Amino acid sequence: MDAIQIYGGNRLKGQVRIQGSKNAVLPILAATLLINGTCKLENCPDISDVHHMLRLMESLCCVIEKKGHCLFINAKEVSGCDMPPDSVCVMRSSIMLLGALLARTGCVRMQYPGGCVIGRRPIDLHLSGLRKMGVRIEEREDGFFAETGNRKLCGIHHRFPFVSVGATENLVLAAALADGVTVLENAAKEPEITALCDFLVRAGADIEGIGTGRLVIRGVERLHEVTYRVPADRIVAGTYVAAALSCGGEICLTEAPCRQMDAVLCAASCMGAEICEEEDRLWIACRGKRRMLPVLRTDIYPGFPTDLQSAFLTAMSLAGEDSVTGVIEETIFEDRFRIVPELRKMGAKITCRDCRVFVTGVRYLEGTVLKAEELRGGAALVLAGAAAKGETIVYGRHYIERGYEDICQDLSALGVRCRKTD
Ligand code: EPZ
């Protein structure tokens, strides 16, 4: 089975360039379906979630050319209502295509994108917003059929009951070519939404309130071809900040989106990291014992990102003096503490209660055999192996490759002894 082998215990030293953002590029790929022409995307991360999305788009008659980290997407002939079922199951983010496809082709038939181990991940907010825009959605046992009756989608005034990144993205995509004005209130403000809106505005969309929780999108007749550079991945950068906190040492991250990482860098500095930011270069030095974070609570942006909760749980497992305990509260997903049993196998002292874990720092973790079950938890287990004594094998590398181009190569550049193994 695919795995990563790590010989832990080294303090980190080195530099790594941060890849393009998975959670920015996926909705932007969906946005290219709105454009009757060819778009060029630069700095695309070479990760399996992107590979899946490209296969899905090719099944919808997009013509895609890849040159290094550049993608050329020709969506002139987008057609077809049917999303291949196997891709939808593997690729939750296929739901990102819904709004754009409806705006372009007027109909979509797809299976419900399954949940995953971190939570049920329903799509009710996506569907209710689209229904308000005039989409007829017939729900069946395992999927749904959505159609616009060959009419343009209608602009709406919509307030999300709670913040959803994906539902915000879907409605922005549906609204860009809609008839009239769409006002989205209580919209997500994640940097990935800002990147999507930036891309659309460059293609000729009319969007106000970018970066805020209130977006006003005036539908336009058409969008034009555009070249866009995918921004750096703040979660990958935060993962390597957590690596320095877990292993100690001094590292430099280049092309890091520092300005999107305030909550992460604040948490790292509270744990004793010395941080220096200069444009898109980020230096982190962790000397001496890390301090325990009394409380870490995940939240919507600009709060602490849920996607870095697991990596910081690993770092906190090794922080603090003599039985100081920290609490992590997960407020976004219902089941995102699944790495706890794996960290316990290494000697971590963690107890769970509902949406909280209580972690007491230990002096060291013991290397052992671990199993990843999902993307961010898998990355956190690799960090634990890098900090632990002895050898650690993390099975389920394919989960990690969904979002990290080559975590082994990156961590090796920072001084970790690790390699892919089968
Ligand atoms: C996006 O997922 C990201 N994925 C996630 O990153 C990230 O953790 C999440 O936003 C929160 O920031 C991508 O961008 C591809 P949500 P998304 O809709 O859009 C509930 C990673 O590791 N909800 O903001 O699915 C939902 O169950 C991934 O890169 C509904 O109830 O997240 C969750 O509890 C993991 N109904 C909460 O809202 C809906 O219709 C937030 O979900 C939609 C969501």
Side-chain angles (χ1 to χ4, degrees):
M1 200 169 133
D2 60 333
I4 292 177
Q5 181 183 41
I6 310 127
Y7 288 98
N10 290 0
R11 288 176 60 78
L12 302 193
K13 186 155 187 56
Q15 173 175 304
V16 77
R17 184 191 83 85
I18 300 301
Q19 69 181 58
S21 165
K22 165 177 96 75
N23 291 350
V25 75
L26 291 174
I28 289 171
L29 285 169
T32 62
L33 297 183
L34 295 171
I35 296 163
N36 185 347
T38 299
C39 291
K40 178 184 178 187
L41 298 183
E42 298 168 339
N43 196 37
C44 286
D46 188 15
I47 54 178
S48 59
D49 266 17
V50 167
H51 305 155
H52 280 306
M53 187 66 105
L54 296 181
R55 275 200 287 279
L56 209 43
M57 291 169 68
E58 283 171 337
S59 71
L60 298 165
C61 304
C62 286
V63 177
I64 297 169
E65 197 186 342
K66 190 173 182 301
K67 284 184 184 161
H69 283 85
C70 275
L71 291 177
F72 297 84
I73 295 138
N74 177 341
K76 284 195 184 85
E77 306 298 331
V78 165
S79 64
C81 275
D82 293 308
M83 297 259 237
D86 58 319
S87 292
V88 172
C89 296
V90 170
M91 177 75 204
R92 253 197 63 76
S93 302
S94 52
I95 190 66
M96 301 272 180
L97 297 171
L98 182 56
L101 260 184
L102 283 168
R104 184 72 192 275
T105 66
C107 77
V108 177
R109 186 179 291 106
M110 72 184 284
Q111 281 190 325
Y112 290 114
C116 59
V117 289
I118 66 174
R120 261 185 342 105
R121 307 189 73 184
I123 58 169
D124 53 318
L125 299 188
H126 299 244
L127 301 186
S128 56
L130 290 168
R131 281 191 167 108
K132 274 176 80 173
M133 296 182 83
V135 181
R136 187 180 70 80
I137 300 175
E138 205 181 297
E139 298 196 57
R140 300 183 182 127
E141 194 63 28
D142 64 346
F144 60 85
F145 176 68
E147 51 126 10
T148 63
N150 288 326
R151 289 182 300 276
K152 274 188 147 187
L153 296 174
C154 308
I156 55 171
H157 193 137
H158 183 69
R159 179 175 183 77
F160 290 102
F162 56 86
V163 169
S164 160
V165 170
T168 301
E169 288 164 346
N170 243 328
L171 293 195
V172 166
L173 289 163
L177 297 175
D179 194 8
V181 181
T182 295
V183 178
L184 299 178
E185 298 194 319
N186 202 26
K189 297 185 278 192
E190 270 64 8
E192 294 76 30
I193 309 268
T194 298
L196 172 63
C197 293
D198 286 348
F199 172 88
L200 288 168
V201 165
R202 285 201 198 179
D206 179 345
I207 305 176
E208 286 173 13
I210 298 176
T212 75
R214 185 176 191 273
L215 294 171
V216 180
I217 305 124
R218 288 178 177 77
V220 295
E221 271 309 303
R222 69 182 57 74
L223 298 173
H224 54 71
E225 299 179 339
V226 69
T227 293
Y228 186 75
R229 181 176 176 79
V230 175
D233 193 313
R234 64 190 173 106
I235 304 301
V236 170
T239 304
Y240 300 145
V241 170
L245 289 165
S246 303
C247 302
E250 300 169 32
I251 62 172
C252 176
L253 306 180
T254 62
E255 296 188 37
C258 305
R259 284 187 296 279
Q260 298 172 10
M261 299 175 67
D262 288 356
V264 177
L265 298 180
C266 175
S269 127
C270 290
M271 290 183 74
E274 293 164 52
I275 289 163
C276 174
E277 299 170 49
E278 194 184 285
E279 284 299 311
D280 65 353
R281 292 173 81 88
L282 182 59
W283 285 269
I284 306 104
C286 295
R287 303 181 183 96
K289 184 78 178 159
R290 283 339 73 69
R291 291 194 292 269
M292 177 58 79
L293 273 182
V295 180
L296 181 66
R297 186 174 186 277
T298 64
D299 205 345
I300 57 173
Y301 191 82
F304 188 90
T306 175
D307 293 348
L308 285 172
Q309 178 257 101
S310 296
F312 269 67
L313 174 54
T314 290
M316 288 167 70
S317 301
L318 287 156
E321 301 292 347
D322 311 326
S323 74
V324 173
T325 297
V327 184
I328 297 184
E329 188 180 348
E330 172 55 55
T331 67
I332 307 291
F333 288 107
E334 58 264 39
D335 198 1
R336 208 163 198 180
F337 292 129
R338 299 181 73 94
I339 64 167
V340 168
E342 298 301 288
L343 291 177
R344 281 192 187 129
K345 282 161 59 177
M346 304 178 85
K349 280 191 194 151
I350 307 172
T351 54
C352 286
R353 206 177 313 142
D354 304 327
C355 63
R356 285 185 185 82
V357 291
F358 300 84
V359 52
T360 304
V362 292
R363 294 172 60 76
Y364 58 85
L365 296 174
E366 290 280 357
T368 185
V369 175
L370 303 172
K371 193 165 69 66
E373 287 186 300
E374 39 87 20
L375 165 56
R376 305 302 176 185
L381 293 179
V382 174
L383 301 192
K389 288 185 171 186
E391 180 191 38
T392 295
I393 307 265
V394 179
Y395 285 102
R397 186 180 72 233
H398 63 282
Y399 289 112
I400 302 169
E401 287 169 340
R402 284 191 46 217
Y404 295 80
E405 282 189 339
D406 191 335
I407 198 168
C408 283
Q409 180 178 285
D410 286 350
L411 290 176
S412 299
L414 298 177
V416 176
R417 284 180 60 201
C418 60
R419 68 186 185 95
K420 293 178 193 175
T421 173
D422 288 318

PDB file of all heavy atoms in Angstrom, residues 35 40 42 195-207 210 223-230:
ATOM      1  N   ILE A  35     -16.552  30.444 -19.581  1.00  0.00           N
ATOM      2  CA  ILE A  35     -15.898  31.279 -20.598  1.00  0.00           C
ATOM      3  C   ILE A  35     -15.828  30.539 -21.933  1.00  0.00           C
ATOM      4  O   ILE A  35     -15.251  29.450 -22.002  1.00  0.00           O
ATOM      5  CB  ILE A  35     -14.495  31.702 -20.110  1.00  0.00           C
ATOM      6  CG1 ILE A  35     -14.651  32.597 -18.863  1.00  0.00           C
ATOM      7  CG2 ILE A  35     -13.695  32.411 -21.213  1.00  0.00           C
ATOM      8  CD1 ILE A  35     -13.407  32.758 -18.040  1.00  0.00           C
ATOM      9  N   LYS A  40      -5.780  30.644 -19.440  1.00  0.00           N
ATOM     10  CA  LYS A  40      -4.476  30.114 -19.021  1.00  0.00           C
ATOM     11  C   LYS A  40      -4.359  30.298 -17.513  1.00  0.00           C
ATOM     12  O   LYS A  40      -4.526  31.414 -16.995  1.00  0.00           O
ATOM     13  CB  LYS A  40      -3.349  30.879 -19.730  1.00  0.00           C
ATOM     14  CG  LYS A  40      -1.943  30.408 -19.316  1.00  0.00           C
ATOM     15  CD  LYS A  40      -0.870  31.250 -19.978  1.00  0.00           C
ATOM     16  CE  LYS A  40       0.537  30.822 -19.539  1.00  0.00           C
ATOM     17  NZ  LYS A  40       1.581  31.762 -20.066  1.00  0.00           N
ATOM     18  N   GLU A  42      -1.783  29.840 -14.344  1.00  0.00           N
ATOM     19  CA  GLU A  42      -0.368  29.625 -13.986  1.00  0.00           C
ATOM     20  C   GLU A  42      -0.273  29.203 -12.518  1.00  0.00           C
ATOM     21  O   GLU A  42      -1.173  29.504 -11.722  1.00  0.00           O
ATOM     22  CB  GLU A  42       0.409  30.932 -14.210  1.00  0.00           C
ATOM     23  CG  GLU A  42       0.401  31.388 -15.675  1.00  0.00           C
ATOM     24  CD  GLU A  42       0.916  32.824 -15.852  1.00  0.00           C
ATOM     25  OE1 GLU A  42       0.903  33.585 -14.859  1.00  0.00           O
ATOM     26  OE2 GLU A  42       1.309  33.181 -16.974  1.00  0.00           O
ATOM     27  N   ALA A 195      -9.928  34.982  -4.415  1.00  0.00           N
ATOM     28  CA  ALA A 195      -9.209  34.592  -5.642  1.00  0.00           C
ATOM     29  C   ALA A 195     -10.201  34.284  -6.763  1.00  0.00           C
ATOM     30  O   ALA A 195     -10.023  34.707  -7.913  1.00  0.00           O
ATOM     31  CB  ALA A 195      -8.309  33.378  -5.368  1.00  0.00           C
ATOM     32  N   LEU A 196     -11.271  33.554  -6.425  1.00  0.00           N
ATOM     33  CA  LEU A 196     -12.292  33.237  -7.440  1.00  0.00           C
ATOM     34  C   LEU A 196     -12.900  34.526  -7.995  1.00  0.00           C
ATOM     35  O   LEU A 196     -13.029  34.689  -9.217  1.00  0.00           O
ATOM     36  CB  LEU A 196     -13.385  32.369  -6.820  1.00  0.00           C
ATOM     37  CG  LEU A 196     -14.624  32.108  -7.693  1.00  0.00           C
ATOM     38  CD1 LEU A 196     -14.252  31.325  -8.953  1.00  0.00           C
ATOM     39  CD2 LEU A 196     -15.699  31.362  -6.893  1.00  0.00           C
ATOM     40  N   CYS A 197     -13.252  35.456  -7.110  1.00  0.00           N
ATOM     41  CA  CYS A 197     -13.857  36.716  -7.576  1.00  0.00           C
ATOM     42  C   CYS A 197     -12.851  37.518  -8.405  1.00  0.00           C
ATOM     43  O   CYS A 197     -13.221  38.107  -9.429  1.00  0.00           O
ATOM     44  CB  CYS A 197     -14.333  37.539  -6.380  1.00  0.00           C
ATOM     45  SG  CYS A 197     -15.721  36.787  -5.497  1.00  0.00           S
ATOM     46  N   ASP A 198     -11.593  37.521  -7.990  1.00  0.00           N
ATOM     47  CA  ASP A 198     -10.560  38.227  -8.773  1.00  0.00           C
ATOM     48  C   ASP A 198     -10.481  37.652 -10.187  1.00  0.00           C
ATOM     49  O   ASP A 198     -10.419  38.381 -11.173  1.00  0.00           O
ATOM     50  CB  ASP A 198      -9.175  38.090  -8.099  1.00  0.00           C
ATOM     51  CG  ASP A 198      -9.045  38.950  -6.859  1.00  0.00           C
ATOM     52  OD1 ASP A 198      -9.940  39.815  -6.649  1.00  0.00           O
ATOM     53  OD2 ASP A 198      -8.093  38.753  -6.093  1.00  0.00           O
ATOM     54  N   PHE A 199     -10.489  36.326 -10.261  1.00  0.00           N
ATOM     55  CA  PHE A 199     -10.443  35.676 -11.582  1.00  0.00           C
ATOM     56  C   PHE A 199     -11.639  36.113 -12.426  1.00  0.00           C
ATOM     57  O   PHE A 199     -11.489  36.530 -13.590  1.00  0.00           O
ATOM     58  CB  PHE A 199     -10.448  34.150 -11.423  1.00  0.00           C
ATOM     59  CG  PHE A 199     -10.592  33.392 -12.713  1.00  0.00           C
ATOM     60  CD1 PHE A 199      -9.475  33.061 -13.465  1.00  0.00           C
ATOM     61  CD2 PHE A 199     -11.845  33.037 -13.196  1.00  0.00           C
ATOM     62  CE1 PHE A 199      -9.595  32.392 -14.671  1.00  0.00           C
ATOM     63  CE2 PHE A 199     -11.990  32.365 -14.405  1.00  0.00           C
ATOM     64  CZ  PHE A 199     -10.857  32.037 -15.156  1.00  0.00           C
ATOM     65  N   LEU A 200     -12.836  36.065 -11.831  1.00  0.00           N
ATOM     66  CA  LEU A 200     -14.065  36.390 -12.585  1.00  0.00           C
ATOM     67  C   LEU A 200     -14.071  37.853 -13.027  1.00  0.00           C
ATOM     68  O   LEU A 200     -14.436  38.161 -14.169  1.00  0.00           O
ATOM     69  CB  LEU A 200     -15.295  36.068 -11.726  1.00  0.00           C
ATOM     70  CG  LEU A 200     -15.598  34.579 -11.519  1.00  0.00           C
ATOM     71  CD1 LEU A 200     -16.652  34.391 -10.425  1.00  0.00           C
ATOM     72  CD2 LEU A 200     -16.050  33.926 -12.829  1.00  0.00           C
ATOM     73  N   VAL A 201     -13.628  38.745 -12.149  1.00  0.00           N
ATOM     74  CA  VAL A 201     -13.604  40.179 -12.510  1.00  0.00           C
ATOM     75  C   VAL A 201     -12.625  40.402 -13.668  1.00  0.00           C
ATOM     76  O   VAL A 201     -12.910  41.129 -14.616  1.00  0.00           O
ATOM     77  CB  VAL A 201     -13.238  41.035 -11.273  1.00  0.00           C
ATOM     78  CG1 VAL A 201     -12.848  42.450 -11.669  1.00  0.00           C
ATOM     79  CG2 VAL A 201     -14.410  41.063 -10.291  1.00  0.00           C
ATOM     80  N   ARG A 202     -11.490  39.709 -13.622  1.00  0.00           N
ATOM     81  CA  ARG A 202     -10.537  39.833 -14.737  1.00  0.00           C
ATOM     82  C   ARG A 202     -11.153  39.325 -16.044  1.00  0.00           C
ATOM     83  O   ARG A 202     -10.801  39.761 -17.131  1.00  0.00           O
ATOM     84  CB  ARG A 202      -9.287  39.009 -14.462  1.00  0.00           C
ATOM     85  CG  ARG A 202      -8.418  39.682 -13.458  1.00  0.00           C
ATOM     86  CD  ARG A 202      -7.037  39.200 -13.549  1.00  0.00           C
ATOM     87  NE  ARG A 202      -6.347  39.550 -12.313  1.00  0.00           N
ATOM     88  CZ  ARG A 202      -5.109  39.228 -12.106  1.00  0.00           C
ATOM     89  NH1 ARG A 202      -4.468  38.544 -13.011  1.00  0.00           N
ATOM     90  NH2 ARG A 202      -4.517  39.555 -10.993  1.00  0.00           N
ATOM     91  N   ALA A 203     -12.096  38.384 -15.915  1.00  0.00           N
ATOM     92  CA  ALA A 203     -12.744  37.832 -17.114  1.00  0.00           C
ATOM     93  C   ALA A 203     -13.951  38.679 -17.522  1.00  0.00           C
ATOM     94  O   ALA A 203     -14.660  38.332 -18.472  1.00  0.00           O
ATOM     95  CB  ALA A 203     -13.173  36.392 -16.850  1.00  0.00           C
ATOM     96  N   GLY A 204     -14.210  39.764 -16.758  1.00  0.00           N
ATOM     97  CA  GLY A 204     -15.287  40.668 -17.172  1.00  0.00           C
ATOM     98  C   GLY A 204     -16.519  40.650 -16.286  1.00  0.00           C
ATOM     99  O   GLY A 204     -17.511  41.319 -16.566  1.00  0.00           O
ATOM    100  N   ALA A 205     -16.465  39.907 -15.167  1.00  0.00           N
ATOM    101  CA  ALA A 205     -17.623  39.871 -14.259  1.00  0.00           C
ATOM    102  C   ALA A 205     -17.689  41.168 -13.470  1.00  0.00           C
ATOM    103  O   ALA A 205     -16.695  41.893 -13.349  1.00  0.00           O
ATOM    104  CB  ALA A 205     -17.502  38.682 -13.304  1.00  0.00           C
ATOM    105  N   ASP A 206     -18.899  41.417 -12.918  1.00  0.00           N
ATOM    106  CA  ASP A 206     -19.117  42.662 -12.164  1.00  0.00           C
ATOM    107  C   ASP A 206     -19.435  42.274 -10.723  1.00  0.00           C
ATOM    108  O   ASP A 206     -20.555  41.856 -10.424  1.00  0.00           O
ATOM    109  CB  ASP A 206     -20.293  43.418 -12.809  1.00  0.00           C
ATOM    110  CG  ASP A 206     -20.604  44.724 -12.079  1.00  0.00           C
ATOM    111  OD1 ASP A 206     -20.117  44.902 -10.933  1.00  0.00           O
ATOM    112  OD2 ASP A 206     -21.349  45.556 -12.644  1.00  0.00           O
ATOM    113  N   ILE A 207     -18.418  42.337  -9.848  1.00  0.00           N
ATOM    114  CA  ILE A 207     -18.583  41.879  -8.460  1.00  0.00           C
ATOM    115  C   ILE A 207     -18.082  42.958  -7.515  1.00  0.00           C
ATOM    116  O   ILE A 207     -16.972  43.461  -7.667  1.00  0.00           O
ATOM    117  CB  ILE A 207     -17.783  40.574  -8.208  1.00  0.00           C
ATOM    118  CG1 ILE A 207     -18.165  39.481  -9.215  1.00  0.00           C
ATOM    119  CG2 ILE A 207     -18.019  40.075  -6.769  1.00  0.00           C
ATOM    120  CD1 ILE A 207     -17.349  38.187  -9.095  1.00  0.00           C
ATOM    121  N   ILE A 210     -15.785  42.296  -2.721  1.00  0.00           N
ATOM    122  CA  ILE A 210     -14.833  41.168  -2.661  1.00  0.00           C
ATOM    123  C   ILE A 210     -14.015  41.238  -1.369  1.00  0.00           C
ATOM    124  O   ILE A 210     -13.514  42.297  -0.999  1.00  0.00           O
ATOM    125  CB  ILE A 210     -13.901  41.197  -3.894  1.00  0.00           C
ATOM    126  CG1 ILE A 210     -14.729  41.020  -5.181  1.00  0.00           C
ATOM    127  CG2 ILE A 210     -12.816  40.116  -3.793  1.00  0.00           C
ATOM    128  CD1 ILE A 210     -13.926  41.131  -6.465  1.00  0.00           C
ATOM    129  N   LEU A 223     -18.372  36.396 -20.493  1.00  0.00           N
ATOM    130  CA  LEU A 223     -17.039  36.591 -19.903  1.00  0.00           C
ATOM    131  C   LEU A 223     -16.003  36.303 -20.977  1.00  0.00           C
ATOM    132  O   LEU A 223     -16.283  35.550 -21.935  1.00  0.00           O
ATOM    133  CB  LEU A 223     -16.851  35.655 -18.709  1.00  0.00           C
ATOM    134  CG  LEU A 223     -17.820  35.878 -17.533  1.00  0.00           C
ATOM    135  CD1 LEU A 223     -17.623  34.775 -16.495  1.00  0.00           C
ATOM    136  CD2 LEU A 223     -17.608  37.242 -16.904  1.00  0.00           C
ATOM    137  N   HIS A 224     -14.818  36.880 -20.845  1.00  0.00           N
ATOM    138  CA  HIS A 224     -13.804  36.685 -21.888  1.00  0.00           C
ATOM    139  C   HIS A 224     -12.589  35.927 -21.338  1.00  0.00           C
ATOM    140  O   HIS A 224     -12.425  35.738 -20.128  1.00  0.00           O
ATOM    141  CB  HIS A 224     -13.371  38.045 -22.449  1.00  0.00           C
ATOM    142  CG  HIS A 224     -12.903  39.023 -21.421  1.00  0.00           C
ATOM    143  ND1 HIS A 224     -11.710  38.876 -20.743  1.00  0.00           N
ATOM    144  CD2 HIS A 224     -13.481  40.144 -20.889  1.00  0.00           C
ATOM    145  CE1 HIS A 224     -11.556  39.877 -19.889  1.00  0.00           C
ATOM    146  NE2 HIS A 224     -12.623  40.655 -19.948  1.00  0.00           N
ATOM    147  N   GLU A 225     -11.756  35.499 -22.256  1.00  0.00           N
ATOM    148  CA  GLU A 225     -10.570  34.697 -21.905  1.00  0.00           C
ATOM    149  C   GLU A 225      -9.674  35.495 -20.952  1.00  0.00           C
ATOM    150  O   GLU A 225      -9.634  36.732 -21.002  1.00  0.00           O
ATOM    151  CB  GLU A 225      -9.790  34.364 -23.190  1.00  0.00           C
ATOM    152  CG  GLU A 225     -10.613  33.561 -24.179  1.00  0.00           C
ATOM    153  CD  GLU A 225      -9.842  33.258 -25.453  1.00  0.00           C
ATOM    154  OE1 GLU A 225      -8.863  33.978 -25.749  1.00  0.00           O
ATOM    155  OE2 GLU A 225     -10.208  32.286 -26.129  1.00  0.00           O
ATOM    156  N   VAL A 226      -8.962  34.762 -20.099  1.00  0.00           N
ATOM    157  CA  VAL A 226      -8.124  35.456 -19.113  1.00  0.00           C
ATOM    158  C   VAL A 226      -6.927  34.574 -18.741  1.00  0.00           C
ATOM    159  O   VAL A 226      -7.000  33.339 -18.871  1.00  0.00           O
ATOM    160  CB  VAL A 226      -8.984  35.813 -17.880  1.00  0.00           C
ATOM    161  CG1 VAL A 226      -9.390  34.580 -17.098  1.00  0.00           C
ATOM    162  CG2 VAL A 226      -8.270  36.792 -16.971  1.00  0.00           C
ATOM    163  N   THR A 227      -5.830  35.216 -18.395  1.00  0.00           N
ATOM    164  CA  THR A 227      -4.668  34.505 -17.829  1.00  0.00           C
ATOM    165  C   THR A 227      -4.613  34.859 -16.354  1.00  0.00           C
ATOM    166  O   THR A 227      -4.762  36.041 -15.995  1.00  0.00           O
ATOM    167  CB  THR A 227      -3.366  34.962 -18.523  1.00  0.00           C
ATOM    168  OG1 THR A 227      -3.419  34.525 -19.883  1.00  0.00           O
ATOM    169  CG2 THR A 227      -2.145  34.343 -17.844  1.00  0.00           C
ATOM    170  N   TYR A 228      -4.440  33.849 -15.505  1.00  0.00           N
ATOM    171  CA  TYR A 228      -4.499  34.108 -14.057  1.00  0.00           C
ATOM    172  C   TYR A 228      -3.466  33.243 -13.330  1.00  0.00           C
ATOM    173  O   TYR A 228      -3.293  32.064 -13.687  1.00  0.00           O
ATOM    174  CB  TYR A 228      -5.904  33.794 -13.547  1.00  0.00           C
ATOM    175  CG  TYR A 228      -6.135  34.167 -12.099  1.00  0.00           C
ATOM    176  CD1 TYR A 228      -6.305  35.499 -11.709  1.00  0.00           C
ATOM    177  CD2 TYR A 228      -6.144  33.180 -11.106  1.00  0.00           C
ATOM    178  CE1 TYR A 228      -6.505  35.842 -10.383  1.00  0.00           C
ATOM    179  CE2 TYR A 228      -6.345  33.522  -9.781  1.00  0.00           C
ATOM    180  CZ  TYR A 228      -6.521  34.853  -9.417  1.00  0.00           C
ATOM    181  OH  TYR A 228      -6.694  35.193  -8.105  1.00  0.00           O
ATOM    182  N   ARG A 229      -2.819  33.813 -12.343  1.00  0.00           N
ATOM    183  CA  ARG A 229      -1.848  33.052 -11.548  1.00  0.00           C
ATOM    184  C   ARG A 229      -2.493  32.614 -10.244  1.00  0.00           C
ATOM    185  O   ARG A 229      -3.000  33.435  -9.478  1.00  0.00           O
ATOM    186  CB  ARG A 229      -0.599  33.897 -11.255  1.00  0.00           C
ATOM    187  CG  ARG A 229       0.463  33.153 -10.452  1.00  0.00           C
ATOM    188  CD  ARG A 229       1.748  33.973 -10.238  1.00  0.00           C
ATOM    189  NE  ARG A 229       2.677  33.244  -9.376  1.00  0.00           N
ATOM    190  CZ  ARG A 229       3.457  32.247  -9.787  1.00  0.00           C
ATOM    191  NH1 ARG A 229       3.402  31.861 -11.066  1.00  0.00           N
ATOM    192  NH2 ARG A 229       4.273  31.621  -8.944  1.00  0.00           N
ATOM    193  N   VAL A 230      -2.530  31.322 -10.018  1.00  0.00           N
ATOM    194  CA  VAL A 230      -3.158  30.777  -8.808  1.00  0.00           C
ATOM    195  C   VAL A 230      -2.335  31.217  -7.589  1.00  0.00           C
ATOM    196  O   VAL A 230      -1.106  31.048  -7.578  1.00  0.00           O
ATOM    197  CB  VAL A 230      -3.215  29.233  -8.900  1.00  0.00           C
ATOM    198  CG1 VAL A 230      -3.763  28.629  -7.603  1.00  0.00           C
ATOM    199  CG2 VAL A 230      -4.071  28.796 -10.091  1.00  0.00           C
TER     200      VAL A 230
END
